[in-house]
Amino acid sequence: MDLYHCMIELKSDAKALAFAASVEQWMSELKQEGLIGGWRLMRRKMGLASGPHTGFILEVEFENMAALEKAFRSVAQFTEGEMRHYELMHAMIASYSVGLYRPFPDAERRERVALI
């Protein structure tokens, strides 16, 4: 499993509940299309964070890199109508940063370590 991790800061006039609803709609569409596995949206609690931590974290699960690539290719081919929920969600975002993570140690790494 690969985890696409998005740290998100909303625009000052964006409403958190409206953003959460838009994320729910967009992620539900992607999941229904079979393009993603699980996902979760989390909000910083009590403003407690340091450094670069943002107001929201969105994590999206993919079975593997091929599934991630398929999702990106498929979304790039969506019609304007299909992109409506994405655009509603994205319009509320002031800034974001992303990263791709994997469970560690993973099976491949464990196997290599075992051979040493």
Side-chain angles (χ1 to χ4, degrees):
M1 175 194 50
D2 292 320
L3 186 65
Y4 191 69
H5 178 100
C6 310
M7 295 177 63
I8 301 166
E9 199 62 57
L10 297 184
K11 292 179 179 176
S12 61
D13 62 343
K15 303 293 186 216
L17 289 176
F19 175 70
S22 292
V23 170
E24 170 83 32
Q25 291 171 336
W26 177 240
M27 292 294 120
S28 295
E29 287 177 15
L30 296 179
K31 185 154 177 75
Q32 186 176 3
E33 293 290 325
L35 296 175
I36 65 171
W39 66 274
R40 68 185 149 269
L41 178 66
M42 295 172 285
R43 187 173 191 186
R44 184 175 55 217
K45 188 170 184 172
M46 299 183 340
L48 183 60
S50 63
H53 293 278
T54 58
F56 289 89
I57 294 176
L58 173 63
E59 295 178 337
V60 185
E61 296 174 357
F62 294 91
E63 184 177 335
N64 52 37
M65 289 295 293
L68 177 65
E69 178 64 26
K70 178 185 175 188
F72 277 116
R73 278 195 322 269
S74 296
V75 168
Q77 296 174 5
F78 277 11
T79 66
E80 278 187 39
E82 291 171 319
M83 292 297 290
R84 185 175 148 268
H85 289 130
Y86 169 80
E87 290 166 357
L88 288 171
M89 174 193 70
H90 199 266
M92 293 182 237
I93 297 173
S95 63
Y96 66 93
S97 60
V98 298
L100 185 62
Y101 292 84
R102 61 185 166 92
F104 187 83
D106 55 351
E108 293 83 12
R109 173 138 331 239
R110 279 190 228 128
E111 187 173 313
R112 278 186 258 151
V113 171
L115 296 175
I116 297 175

